[in-house]
Amino acid sequence: MRRYNGCSQILVTGGAGFLGSHLCERLLQEGHQVLCVDNFFTGTRRNIEHLLDHPRFELMRHDVTVPLIVEVDEIYNLACPASPVHYQHNPVQTIKTSVHGAINMLGLAKRVGARIFQASTSEVYGDPDVHPQPETYWGRVNPVGVRSCYDEGKRCAETLFLDYHRQYGVDVRVARIFNTYGPRMHPNDGRVVSNFIVQALRGEPITLYGEGLQTRSFCFVDDLVEGFVRFMRHDGPLPGPINLGNPREFTIVQLAEQVINITNSKSPIVHRPLPSDDPRQRRPDIGLAQETLGWEPQVQLHEGLVRTIAYFDELLRAGH
């Protein structure tokens, strides 16, 4: 396997998605050859259109639930719808993407000797009774709820990654991603940041579920991608899953107020019933990432929101 001081052949599944497109961009900037694989269920060509003519970028339409035979040095497995609106649309396909996709990508990594990264999620902690959540916490997840296709699919994928490492020696990295936002989020993904921004820019009522006192921690996409790359470059003892997210915590009401202020929106705030299994609080303990990778987020929420709002404003003006 070619190591990291030169050009590597890197496969990014879900590469036309929100996170994947930013990762592809970063890897190209570092001089690598990038194979972007996506079935365009939630990813869009718009996200990677500016990369299509790049001499080291290749796009392949493919579903990871089907085996893929390519020659690569590294694999970033990001394929899976990540918002409740999208992953609940076809829950069986969602869990197939997490489980069959993991098996197929791990099989590929095993065959070619590639290091492989799994985009896991803070949803493995469910509605936590430990706060903030360290990697040692096993979680509190409903295995049969409407969110289970995603939560349990990702938990099973983590099991597969660690078992492929223990049984076959596959070189794995598992990152548990907390709420992330930034340009190229899908405008209709139902996530709180994109929801609030689109509603504010359109002058529509801003929808809060429950009292809006549930908390989240919001990480800007550039910080997250930096964490991805540092984790993949880490050659020390396998640290197990690592939390990647911003440990600063905000209530949903505070987020709504920031969005309204930045957009100068006149949108009123309206309340709706809390969705089933919606976590009350979510905040990462990133001590392991700080110690192991020297990583912590740099972009403050206000700065990140300004950049994200500018993207959505342009998108909506263009009629998307």
Side-chain angles (χ1 to χ4, degrees), residues 1 4 10-14 19-20 23 27 64 72-79 98 101-102 105-106 109-110 114-121 154 157-158 161-162 170-178 223-234 238-244 293:
M1 171 179 168
Y4 308 111
I10 303 179
L11 166 63
V12 180
T13 72
L19 298 181
L23 177 60
L27 296 172
V64 295
V72 292
D73 306 306
E74 294 179 28
I75 302 167
Y76 286 85
N77 186 39
L78 274 58
S98 286
M105 290 304 110
L106 285 162
K110 177 173 174 280
R115 177 173 292 180
I116 181 168
F117 174 99
Q118 167 67 2
S120 190
T121 173
K154 288 290 191 179
E158 286 197 10
F161 267 71
L162 273 296
V170 175
D171 193 357
V172 303
R173 302 287 183 272
V174 176
R176 291 174 176 164
I177 301 167
F178 284 68
D223 284 332
L224 188 75
V225 168
E226 175 67 25
F228 285 5
V229 172
R230 288 194 190 196
F231 196 12
M232 276 293 265
R233 301 298 179 261
H234 177 73
L238 181 72
I242 280 186
N243 288 337
L244 293 178
L293 310 177

Short mmCIF file of all heavy atoms in Angstrom, two decimals, residues 1 4 10-14 19-20 23 27 64 72-79 98 101-102 105-106 109-110 114-121 154 157-158 161-162 170-178 223-234 238-244 293:
data_model
loop_
_atom_site.label_atom_id
_atom_site.label_comp_id
_atom_site.label_asym_id
_atom_site.label_seq_id
_atom_site.Cartn_x
_atom_site.Cartn_y
_atom_site.Cartn_z
N MET A 1 0.84 -1.20 0.00
CA MET A 1 0.00 0.00 0.00
C MET A 1 0.87 1.25 0.00
O MET A 1 1.81 1.37 0.77
CB MET A 1 -0.88 0.00 1.25
CG MET A 1 -1.64 1.29 1.48
SD MET A 1 -2.67 1.15 2.95
CE MET A 1 -3.12 2.86 3.14
N TYR A 4 1.67 7.98 2.74
CA TYR A 4 1.00 9.26 2.61
C TYR A 4 1.90 10.43 2.26
O TYR A 4 1.49 11.57 2.33
CB TYR A 4 0.25 9.55 3.91
CG TYR A 4 -0.63 8.39 4.29
CD1 TYR A 4 -0.34 7.62 5.39
CD2 TYR A 4 -1.71 8.02 3.49
CE1 TYR A 4 -1.12 6.53 5.73
CE2 TYR A 4 -2.49 6.94 3.82
CZ TYR A 4 -2.19 6.20 4.94
OH TYR A 4 -2.97 5.11 5.26
N ILE A 10 -7.41 7.48 -3.86
CA ILE A 10 -8.34 7.51 -2.73
C ILE A 10 -9.78 7.41 -3.22
O ILE A 10 -10.21 8.18 -4.08
CB ILE A 10 -8.15 8.78 -1.88
CG1 ILE A 10 -6.71 8.87 -1.38
CG2 ILE A 10 -9.13 8.78 -0.70
CD1 ILE A 10 -6.40 10.10 -0.55
N LEU A 11 -10.51 6.46 -2.66
CA LEU A 11 -11.93 6.27 -2.95
C LEU A 11 -12.75 6.96 -1.87
O LEU A 11 -12.53 6.74 -0.68
CB LEU A 11 -12.26 4.77 -2.99
CG LEU A 11 -13.74 4.36 -2.96
CD1 LEU A 11 -14.47 4.88 -4.19
CD2 LEU A 11 -13.85 2.84 -2.85
N VAL A 12 -13.71 7.80 -2.29
CA VAL A 12 -14.64 8.44 -1.37
C VAL A 12 -16.05 8.02 -1.75
O VAL A 12 -16.56 8.42 -2.79
CB VAL A 12 -14.52 9.98 -1.41
CG1 VAL A 12 -15.51 10.61 -0.42
CG2 VAL A 12 -13.10 10.43 -1.10
N THR A 13 -16.67 7.15 -0.94
CA THR A 13 -18.07 6.79 -1.21
C THR A 13 -18.96 7.87 -0.60
O THR A 13 -18.65 8.44 0.44
CB THR A 13 -18.44 5.42 -0.62
OG1 THR A 13 -18.52 5.51 0.81
CG2 THR A 13 -17.42 4.37 -1.01
N GLY A 14 -20.07 8.16 -1.29
CA GLY A 14 -20.89 9.31 -0.89
C GLY A 14 -20.19 10.61 -1.19
O GLY A 14 -20.44 11.64 -0.55
N LEU A 19 -20.72 16.22 3.09
CA LEU A 19 -19.38 16.02 3.63
C LEU A 19 -18.42 15.50 2.57
O LEU A 19 -17.26 15.93 2.48
CB LEU A 19 -19.43 15.03 4.80
CG LEU A 19 -20.23 15.42 6.02
CD1 LEU A 19 -20.16 14.33 7.08
CD2 LEU A 19 -19.74 16.74 6.59
N GLY A 20 -18.89 14.56 1.74
CA GLY A 20 -18.03 13.93 0.76
C GLY A 20 -17.44 14.90 -0.23
O GLY A 20 -16.26 14.79 -0.61
N LEU A 23 -14.63 16.77 1.35
CA LEU A 23 -13.48 15.88 1.51
C LEU A 23 -12.76 15.68 0.18
O LEU A 23 -11.53 15.74 0.12
CB LEU A 23 -13.93 14.53 2.08
CG LEU A 23 -12.84 13.48 2.24
CD1 LEU A 23 -11.74 13.94 3.18
CD2 LEU A 23 -13.44 12.16 2.73
N LEU A 27 -8.80 16.52 -0.55
CA LEU A 27 -7.84 15.50 -1.00
C LEU A 27 -7.19 15.89 -2.32
O LEU A 27 -5.99 15.64 -2.54
CB LEU A 27 -8.53 14.14 -1.12
CG LEU A 27 -9.05 13.56 0.21
CD1 LEU A 27 -9.88 12.31 -0.05
CD2 LEU A 27 -7.91 13.27 1.17
N VAL A 64 -23.21 1.45 -3.04
CA VAL A 64 -22.26 0.65 -2.27
C VAL A 64 -22.86 -0.67 -1.78
O VAL A 64 -22.11 -1.53 -1.30
CB VAL A 64 -21.69 1.43 -1.06
CG1 VAL A 64 -20.85 2.60 -1.52
CG2 VAL A 64 -22.79 1.84 -0.10
N VAL A 72 -7.28 0.87 -5.09
CA VAL A 72 -7.11 2.13 -4.35
C VAL A 72 -6.19 1.90 -3.16
O VAL A 72 -5.95 0.77 -2.74
CB VAL A 72 -8.47 2.69 -3.86
CG1 VAL A 72 -9.32 3.14 -5.03
CG2 VAL A 72 -9.22 1.67 -3.01
N ASP A 73 -5.68 3.02 -2.61
CA ASP A 73 -4.80 2.98 -1.44
C ASP A 73 -5.52 3.30 -0.14
O ASP A 73 -5.12 2.86 0.93
CB ASP A 73 -3.65 3.99 -1.62
CG ASP A 73 -2.90 3.77 -2.92
OD1 ASP A 73 -2.45 2.63 -3.14
OD2 ASP A 73 -2.79 4.72 -3.71
N GLU A 74 -6.57 4.14 -0.25
CA GLU A 74 -7.35 4.53 0.91
C GLU A 74 -8.82 4.57 0.54
O GLU A 74 -9.17 4.84 -0.61
CB GLU A 74 -6.98 5.94 1.40
CG GLU A 74 -5.60 6.12 1.95
CD GLU A 74 -5.37 7.58 2.37
OE1 GLU A 74 -6.32 8.29 2.74
OE2 GLU A 74 -4.20 7.99 2.31
N ILE A 75 -9.67 4.32 1.54
CA ILE A 75 -11.11 4.39 1.33
C ILE A 75 -11.73 5.21 2.46
O ILE A 75 -11.49 4.95 3.64
CB ILE A 75 -11.76 2.98 1.33
CG1 ILE A 75 -11.14 2.10 0.25
CG2 ILE A 75 -13.28 3.08 1.14
CD1 ILE A 75 -11.50 0.62 0.39
N TYR A 76 -12.52 6.20 2.06
CA TYR A 76 -13.38 6.93 3.02
C TYR A 76 -14.81 6.49 2.74
O TYR A 76 -15.35 6.79 1.67
CB TYR A 76 -13.27 8.43 2.83
CG TYR A 76 -11.99 9.08 3.32
CD1 TYR A 76 -10.85 9.13 2.52
CD2 TYR A 76 -11.93 9.68 4.58
CE1 TYR A 76 -9.69 9.76 2.95
CE2 TYR A 76 -10.77 10.30 5.03
CZ TYR A 76 -9.66 10.34 4.20
OH TYR A 76 -8.51 10.96 4.65
N ASN A 77 -15.42 5.79 3.68
CA ASN A 77 -16.78 5.29 3.48
C ASN A 77 -17.78 6.25 4.12
O ASN A 77 -18.09 6.16 5.31
CB ASN A 77 -16.93 3.88 4.06
CG ASN A 77 -18.29 3.30 3.73
OD1 ASN A 77 -18.81 3.49 2.64
ND2 ASN A 77 -18.88 2.59 4.68
N LEU A 78 -18.32 7.16 3.29
CA LEU A 78 -19.26 8.17 3.76
C LEU A 78 -20.67 7.92 3.24
O LEU A 78 -21.58 8.70 3.51
CB LEU A 78 -18.82 9.57 3.32
CG LEU A 78 -17.81 10.32 4.20
CD1 LEU A 78 -16.51 9.55 4.38
CD2 LEU A 78 -17.52 11.69 3.59
N ALA A 79 -20.87 6.85 2.47
CA ALA A 79 -22.16 6.65 1.81
C ALA A 79 -23.24 6.26 2.82
O ALA A 79 -23.13 5.23 3.46
CB ALA A 79 -22.03 5.56 0.74
N SER A 98 -25.79 0.98 5.21
CA SER A 98 -24.85 0.93 6.34
C SER A 98 -24.17 -0.42 6.46
O SER A 98 -22.95 -0.50 6.63
CB SER A 98 -25.57 1.26 7.64
OG SER A 98 -25.87 2.62 7.72
N GLY A 101 -23.08 -1.98 2.66
CA GLY A 101 -22.05 -1.07 2.18
C GLY A 101 -20.75 -1.25 2.95
O GLY A 101 -19.66 -1.26 2.38
N ALA A 102 -20.86 -1.39 4.28
CA ALA A 102 -19.66 -1.61 5.09
C ALA A 102 -18.98 -2.92 4.71
O ALA A 102 -17.75 -2.98 4.56
CB ALA A 102 -20.03 -1.60 6.58
N MET A 105 -17.22 -2.48 1.29
CA MET A 105 -16.03 -1.62 1.34
C MET A 105 -14.91 -2.26 2.17
O MET A 105 -13.74 -2.14 1.84
CB MET A 105 -16.40 -0.24 1.90
CG MET A 105 -17.26 0.58 0.95
SD MET A 105 -16.49 0.80 -0.70
CE MET A 105 -17.58 -0.20 -1.70
N LEU A 106 -15.28 -2.96 3.24
CA LEU A 106 -14.27 -3.66 4.02
C LEU A 106 -13.66 -4.81 3.22
O LEU A 106 -12.45 -5.07 3.30
CB LEU A 106 -14.89 -4.19 5.32
CG LEU A 106 -15.15 -3.14 6.39
CD1 LEU A 106 -16.15 -3.65 7.43
CD2 LEU A 106 -13.84 -2.72 7.07
N ALA A 109 -11.19 -3.20 0.96
CA ALA A 109 -9.99 -2.81 1.70
C ALA A 109 -9.12 -4.02 2.03
O ALA A 109 -7.89 -3.96 1.93
CB ALA A 109 -10.40 -2.09 2.99
N LYS A 110 -9.76 -5.11 2.39
CA LYS A 110 -9.03 -6.35 2.70
C LYS A 110 -8.29 -6.86 1.47
O LYS A 110 -7.12 -7.27 1.54
CB LYS A 110 -10.01 -7.40 3.21
CG LYS A 110 -9.43 -8.78 3.51
CD LYS A 110 -10.50 -9.65 4.18
CE LYS A 110 -10.03 -11.09 4.38
NZ LYS A 110 -10.14 -11.88 3.14
N ALA A 114 -5.95 -1.63 1.70
CA ALA A 114 -6.17 -0.20 1.89
C ALA A 114 -6.55 0.12 3.34
O ALA A 114 -7.21 -0.68 4.00
CB ALA A 114 -7.27 0.29 0.96
N ARG A 115 -6.15 1.27 3.79
CA ARG A 115 -6.67 1.80 5.04
C ARG A 115 -8.07 2.33 4.77
O ARG A 115 -8.31 2.97 3.75
CB ARG A 115 -5.77 2.92 5.56
CG ARG A 115 -6.27 3.60 6.83
CD ARG A 115 -5.24 4.58 7.39
NE ARG A 115 -4.08 3.84 7.90
CZ ARG A 115 -3.00 4.43 8.45
NH1 ARG A 115 -2.95 5.74 8.54
NH2 ARG A 115 -1.99 3.69 8.88
N ILE A 116 -9.02 2.08 5.70
CA ILE A 116 -10.41 2.45 5.45
C ILE A 116 -11.01 3.21 6.62
O ILE A 116 -10.83 2.83 7.78
CB ILE A 116 -11.26 1.21 5.08
CG1 ILE A 116 -12.73 1.61 4.80
CG2 ILE A 116 -11.19 0.14 6.16
CD1 ILE A 116 -13.55 0.49 4.17
N PHE A 117 -11.70 4.28 6.29
CA PHE A 117 -12.33 5.18 7.26
C PHE A 117 -13.83 4.99 7.20
O PHE A 117 -14.43 4.95 6.13
CB PHE A 117 -11.97 6.62 6.85
CG PHE A 117 -12.65 7.71 7.64
CD1 PHE A 117 -11.98 8.35 8.68
CD2 PHE A 117 -13.93 8.14 7.31
CE1 PHE A 117 -12.60 9.38 9.38
CE2 PHE A 117 -14.54 9.16 8.00
CZ PHE A 117 -13.87 9.79 9.04
N GLN A 118 -14.46 4.88 8.37
CA GLN A 118 -15.92 4.78 8.45
C GLN A 118 -16.50 6.04 9.07
O GLN A 118 -16.14 6.43 10.18
CB GLN A 118 -16.33 3.57 9.29
CG GLN A 118 -17.80 3.53 9.69
CD GLN A 118 -18.78 3.34 8.54
OE1 GLN A 118 -18.37 3.19 7.39
NE2 GLN A 118 -20.05 3.35 8.83
N ALA A 119 -17.41 6.68 8.32
CA ALA A 119 -18.16 7.82 8.86
C ALA A 119 -19.30 7.27 9.71
O ALA A 119 -20.37 6.97 9.21
CB ALA A 119 -18.68 8.70 7.73
N SER A 120 -19.04 7.13 11.01
CA SER A 120 -20.10 6.73 11.93
C SER A 120 -20.77 8.00 12.45
O SER A 120 -20.64 9.08 11.86
CB SER A 120 -19.55 5.87 13.06
OG SER A 120 -20.61 5.30 13.81
N THR A 121 -21.48 7.93 13.53
CA THR A 121 -22.34 9.04 13.93
C THR A 121 -22.53 9.09 15.44
O THR A 121 -22.46 8.06 16.13
CB THR A 121 -23.73 8.88 13.26
OG1 THR A 121 -24.63 9.87 13.78
CG2 THR A 121 -24.34 7.51 13.53
N LYS A 154 -25.62 2.07 11.73
CA LYS A 154 -24.28 2.61 11.99
C LYS A 154 -23.59 1.84 13.12
O LYS A 154 -22.36 1.64 13.10
CB LYS A 154 -24.38 4.09 12.35
CG LYS A 154 -24.73 4.99 11.16
CD LYS A 154 -23.60 5.09 10.15
CE LYS A 154 -23.84 6.17 9.13
NZ LYS A 154 -22.75 6.30 8.15
N ALA A 157 -22.33 -1.27 11.57
CA ALA A 157 -21.16 -0.99 10.74
C ALA A 157 -19.91 -0.85 11.60
O ALA A 157 -18.83 -1.34 11.22
CB ALA A 157 -21.40 0.29 9.93
N GLU A 158 -20.03 -0.21 12.76
CA GLU A 158 -18.87 -0.11 13.66
C GLU A 158 -18.39 -1.50 14.08
O GLU A 158 -17.19 -1.79 14.11
CB GLU A 158 -19.22 0.71 14.90
CG GLU A 158 -19.34 2.20 14.66
CD GLU A 158 -19.28 2.99 15.96
OE1 GLU A 158 -18.95 2.40 17.02
OE2 GLU A 158 -19.53 4.21 15.91
N PHE A 161 -16.47 -3.06 11.25
CA PHE A 161 -15.14 -2.47 11.07
C PHE A 161 -14.16 -3.02 12.10
O PHE A 161 -13.03 -3.40 11.76
CB PHE A 161 -15.22 -0.94 11.14
CG PHE A 161 -15.38 -0.29 9.80
CD1 PHE A 161 -16.56 -0.41 9.10
CD2 PHE A 161 -14.34 0.41 9.21
CE1 PHE A 161 -16.72 0.17 7.85
CE2 PHE A 161 -14.47 0.99 7.96
CZ PHE A 161 -15.66 0.88 7.27
N LEU A 162 -14.57 -3.06 13.35
CA LEU A 162 -13.65 -3.55 14.38
C LEU A 162 -13.42 -5.05 14.26
O LEU A 162 -12.30 -5.53 14.52
CB LEU A 162 -14.17 -3.18 15.76
CG LEU A 162 -13.75 -1.80 16.29
CD1 LEU A 162 -12.24 -1.73 16.48
CD2 LEU A 162 -14.19 -0.65 15.39
N VAL A 170 -7.48 -5.74 8.92
CA VAL A 170 -7.76 -4.58 8.08
C VAL A 170 -7.50 -3.30 8.89
O VAL A 170 -7.85 -3.20 10.07
CB VAL A 170 -9.22 -4.60 7.56
CG1 VAL A 170 -9.55 -3.33 6.79
CG2 VAL A 170 -9.43 -5.82 6.68
N ASP A 171 -6.85 -2.34 8.25
CA ASP A 171 -6.45 -1.09 8.88
C ASP A 171 -7.64 -0.13 8.87
O ASP A 171 -7.96 0.46 7.83
CB ASP A 171 -5.27 -0.51 8.09
CG ASP A 171 -4.57 0.61 8.82
OD1 ASP A 171 -5.01 0.98 9.92
OD2 ASP A 171 -3.56 1.12 8.28
N VAL A 172 -8.33 0.03 9.99
CA VAL A 172 -9.60 0.77 10.02
C VAL A 172 -9.50 2.02 10.88
O VAL A 172 -8.70 2.10 11.81
CB VAL A 172 -10.76 -0.12 10.52
CG1 VAL A 172 -10.90 -1.37 9.67
CG2 VAL A 172 -10.62 -0.47 12.00
N ARG A 173 -10.37 2.99 10.55
CA ARG A 173 -10.56 4.20 11.33
C ARG A 173 -12.06 4.44 11.43
O ARG A 173 -12.74 4.48 10.41
CB ARG A 173 -9.90 5.42 10.66
CG ARG A 173 -8.39 5.28 10.41
CD ARG A 173 -7.63 5.38 11.72
NE ARG A 173 -6.19 5.33 11.52
CZ ARG A 173 -5.49 4.20 11.48
NH1 ARG A 173 -6.11 3.04 11.59
NH2 ARG A 173 -4.17 4.23 11.33
N VAL A 174 -12.59 4.61 12.63
CA VAL A 174 -14.02 4.83 12.83
C VAL A 174 -14.22 6.17 13.54
O VAL A 174 -13.75 6.35 14.67
CB VAL A 174 -14.67 3.69 13.66
CG1 VAL A 174 -16.14 4.00 13.94
CG2 VAL A 174 -14.53 2.36 12.93
N ALA A 175 -14.90 7.11 12.87
CA ALA A 175 -15.15 8.43 13.45
C ALA A 175 -16.64 8.59 13.74
O ALA A 175 -17.48 8.35 12.87
CB ALA A 175 -14.69 9.52 12.48
N ARG A 176 -16.95 8.98 14.96
CA ARG A 176 -18.33 9.27 15.34
C ARG A 176 -18.58 10.77 15.16
O ARG A 176 -18.08 11.58 15.94
CB ARG A 176 -18.60 8.83 16.78
CG ARG A 176 -18.58 7.32 16.92
CD ARG A 176 -18.70 6.87 18.37
NE ARG A 176 -18.76 5.41 18.45
CZ ARG A 176 -18.57 4.71 19.56
NH1 ARG A 176 -18.31 5.34 20.70
NH2 ARG A 176 -18.64 3.39 19.54
N ILE A 177 -19.35 11.10 14.13
CA ILE A 177 -19.54 12.48 13.73
C ILE A 177 -20.74 13.09 14.45
O ILE A 177 -21.84 12.54 14.42
CB ILE A 177 -19.75 12.56 12.20
CG1 ILE A 177 -18.55 11.95 11.47
CG2 ILE A 177 -20.01 13.99 11.76
CD1 ILE A 177 -18.82 11.71 10.00
N PHE A 178 -20.51 14.23 15.08
CA PHE A 178 -21.59 14.99 15.70
C PHE A 178 -22.09 16.05 14.71
O PHE A 178 -21.50 16.25 13.66
CB PHE A 178 -21.10 15.62 17.00
CG PHE A 178 -20.99 14.64 18.14
CD1 PHE A 178 -20.02 13.63 18.12
CD2 PHE A 178 -21.84 14.70 19.23
CE1 PHE A 178 -19.92 12.71 19.16
CE2 PHE A 178 -21.75 13.79 20.28
CZ PHE A 178 -20.80 12.79 20.24
N ASP A 223 -13.73 22.17 9.73
CA ASP A 223 -13.10 21.57 10.92
C ASP A 223 -13.25 20.06 10.91
O ASP A 223 -12.30 19.33 11.24
CB ASP A 223 -13.76 22.14 12.19
CG ASP A 223 -13.31 23.55 12.51
OD1 ASP A 223 -12.18 23.92 12.15
OD2 ASP A 223 -14.09 24.29 13.14
N LEU A 224 -14.42 19.58 10.52
CA LEU A 224 -14.65 18.14 10.50
C LEU A 224 -13.74 17.44 9.50
O LEU A 224 -13.13 16.40 9.81
CB LEU A 224 -16.12 17.83 10.18
CG LEU A 224 -16.47 16.35 10.35
CD1 LEU A 224 -16.58 15.98 11.82
CD2 LEU A 224 -17.76 16.00 9.62
N VAL A 225 -13.63 17.99 8.29
CA VAL A 225 -12.77 17.37 7.27
C VAL A 225 -11.32 17.35 7.73
O VAL A 225 -10.60 16.37 7.49
CB VAL A 225 -12.93 18.12 5.93
CG1 VAL A 225 -11.86 17.69 4.93
CG2 VAL A 225 -14.32 17.85 5.34
N GLU A 226 -10.88 18.38 8.43
CA GLU A 226 -9.53 18.37 9.01
C GLU A 226 -9.38 17.20 9.97
O GLU A 226 -8.34 16.51 9.97
CB GLU A 226 -9.28 19.69 9.73
CG GLU A 226 -7.95 19.77 10.48
CD GLU A 226 -6.73 19.75 9.58
OE1 GLU A 226 -6.84 20.15 8.40
OE2 GLU A 226 -5.66 19.32 10.05
N GLY A 227 -10.41 16.94 10.76
CA GLY A 227 -10.38 15.78 11.67
C GLY A 227 -10.30 14.47 10.92
O GLY A 227 -9.57 13.55 11.31
N PHE A 228 -11.08 14.36 9.83
CA PHE A 228 -11.04 13.15 8.99
C PHE A 228 -9.61 12.86 8.54
O PHE A 228 -9.09 11.75 8.67
CB PHE A 228 -11.89 13.32 7.73
CG PHE A 228 -13.38 13.25 7.93
CD1 PHE A 228 -13.95 13.14 9.18
CD2 PHE A 228 -14.22 13.31 6.83
CE1 PHE A 228 -15.33 13.07 9.34
CE2 PHE A 228 -15.60 13.24 6.97
CZ PHE A 228 -16.15 13.11 8.22
N VAL A 229 -8.99 13.87 7.96
CA VAL A 229 -7.66 13.70 7.35
C VAL A 229 -6.62 13.37 8.41
O VAL A 229 -5.78 12.49 8.23
CB VAL A 229 -7.29 14.95 6.54
CG1 VAL A 229 -5.85 14.88 6.06
CG2 VAL A 229 -8.23 15.11 5.34
N ARG A 230 -6.68 14.06 9.54
CA ARG A 230 -5.72 13.77 10.61
C ARG A 230 -5.89 12.34 11.13
O ARG A 230 -4.90 11.65 11.43
CB ARG A 230 -5.90 14.75 11.77
CG ARG A 230 -5.43 16.14 11.46
CD ARG A 230 -5.31 16.96 12.74
NE ARG A 230 -5.08 18.37 12.44
CZ ARG A 230 -4.64 19.25 13.32
NH1 ARG A 230 -4.39 18.87 14.57
NH2 ARG A 230 -4.46 20.51 12.98
N PHE A 231 -7.12 11.89 11.25
CA PHE A 231 -7.38 10.53 11.74
C PHE A 231 -6.84 9.50 10.76
O PHE A 231 -6.21 8.51 11.16
CB PHE A 231 -8.89 10.37 11.93
CG PHE A 231 -9.30 9.19 12.76
CD1 PHE A 231 -8.41 8.46 13.53
CD2 PHE A 231 -10.64 8.81 12.81
CE1 PHE A 231 -8.81 7.38 14.30
CE2 PHE A 231 -11.06 7.73 13.57
CZ PHE A 231 -10.14 7.01 14.32
N MET A 232 -7.04 9.73 9.47
CA MET A 232 -6.52 8.78 8.47
C MET A 232 -5.00 8.77 8.41
O MET A 232 -4.40 7.76 8.07
CB MET A 232 -7.10 9.11 7.09
CG MET A 232 -8.46 8.52 6.85
SD MET A 232 -8.48 6.71 6.74
CE MET A 232 -8.38 6.48 4.97
N ARG A 233 -4.37 9.89 8.75
CA ARG A 233 -2.90 9.96 8.71
C ARG A 233 -2.26 9.43 9.99
O ARG A 233 -1.05 9.26 10.07
CB ARG A 233 -2.44 11.40 8.47
CG ARG A 233 -2.95 12.03 7.19
CD ARG A 233 -2.45 11.29 5.95
NE ARG A 233 -2.97 11.89 4.74
CZ ARG A 233 -4.02 11.44 4.06
NH1 ARG A 233 -4.67 10.37 4.49
NH2 ARG A 233 -4.43 12.04 2.96
N HIS A 234 -3.07 9.17 11.00
CA HIS A 234 -2.55 8.75 12.30
C HIS A 234 -2.05 7.31 12.21
O HIS A 234 -2.80 6.39 11.87
CB HIS A 234 -3.65 8.85 13.37
CG HIS A 234 -3.22 8.37 14.72
ND1 HIS A 234 -2.35 9.09 15.51
CD2 HIS A 234 -3.52 7.24 15.40
CE1 HIS A 234 -2.15 8.42 16.63
NE2 HIS A 234 -2.83 7.30 16.59
N LEU A 238 -4.11 1.63 17.25
CA LEU A 238 -5.50 1.86 16.89
C LEU A 238 -6.27 2.38 18.11
O LEU A 238 -6.38 1.70 19.12
CB LEU A 238 -6.14 0.56 16.40
CG LEU A 238 -7.61 0.68 15.97
CD1 LEU A 238 -7.70 1.42 14.64
CD2 LEU A 238 -8.25 -0.69 15.85
N PRO A 239 -6.79 3.62 18.02
CA PRO A 239 -7.46 4.18 19.19
C PRO A 239 -8.93 3.79 19.33
O PRO A 239 -9.58 4.21 20.27
CB PRO A 239 -7.33 5.70 18.94
CG PRO A 239 -7.32 5.81 17.45
CD PRO A 239 -6.67 4.56 16.91
N GLY A 240 -9.46 3.00 18.40
CA GLY A 240 -10.89 2.70 18.42
C GLY A 240 -11.67 3.88 17.87
O GLY A 240 -11.10 4.81 17.33
N PRO A 241 -13.00 3.86 18.01
CA PRO A 241 -13.80 4.99 17.51
C PRO A 241 -13.39 6.30 18.19
O PRO A 241 -13.04 6.32 19.37
CB PRO A 241 -15.23 4.60 17.89
CG PRO A 241 -15.21 3.12 18.01
CD PRO A 241 -13.85 2.78 18.54
N ILE A 242 -13.43 7.38 17.41
CA ILE A 242 -13.10 8.71 17.93
C ILE A 242 -14.26 9.65 17.65
O ILE A 242 -14.80 9.67 16.54
CB ILE A 242 -11.79 9.25 17.29
CG1 ILE A 242 -10.58 8.63 17.98
CG2 ILE A 242 -11.71 10.76 17.38
CD1 ILE A 242 -9.25 9.19 17.52
N ASN A 243 -14.65 10.43 18.67
CA ASN A 243 -15.64 11.48 18.48
C ASN A 243 -15.04 12.65 17.72
O ASN A 243 -13.95 13.13 18.07
CB ASN A 243 -16.13 12.02 19.84
CG ASN A 243 -17.00 11.05 20.59
OD1 ASN A 243 -17.62 10.16 20.01
ND2 ASN A 243 -17.07 11.22 21.91
N LEU A 244 -15.74 13.14 16.70
CA LEU A 244 -15.36 14.35 16.00
C LEU A 244 -16.57 15.29 15.99
O LEU A 244 -17.62 14.96 15.44
CB LEU A 244 -14.91 14.05 14.56
CG LEU A 244 -13.62 13.25 14.40
CD1 LEU A 244 -13.33 13.00 12.92
CD2 LEU A 244 -12.43 13.94 15.07
N LEU A 293 -4.93 13.18 18.06
CA LEU A 293 -4.77 13.82 16.76
C LEU A 293 -4.35 15.28 16.85
O LEU A 293 -4.05 15.89 15.82
CB LEU A 293 -6.10 13.74 15.98
CG LEU A 293 -6.78 12.38 15.89
CD1 LEU A 293 -8.11 12.50 15.15
CD2 LEU A 293 -5.87 11.36 15.20
#
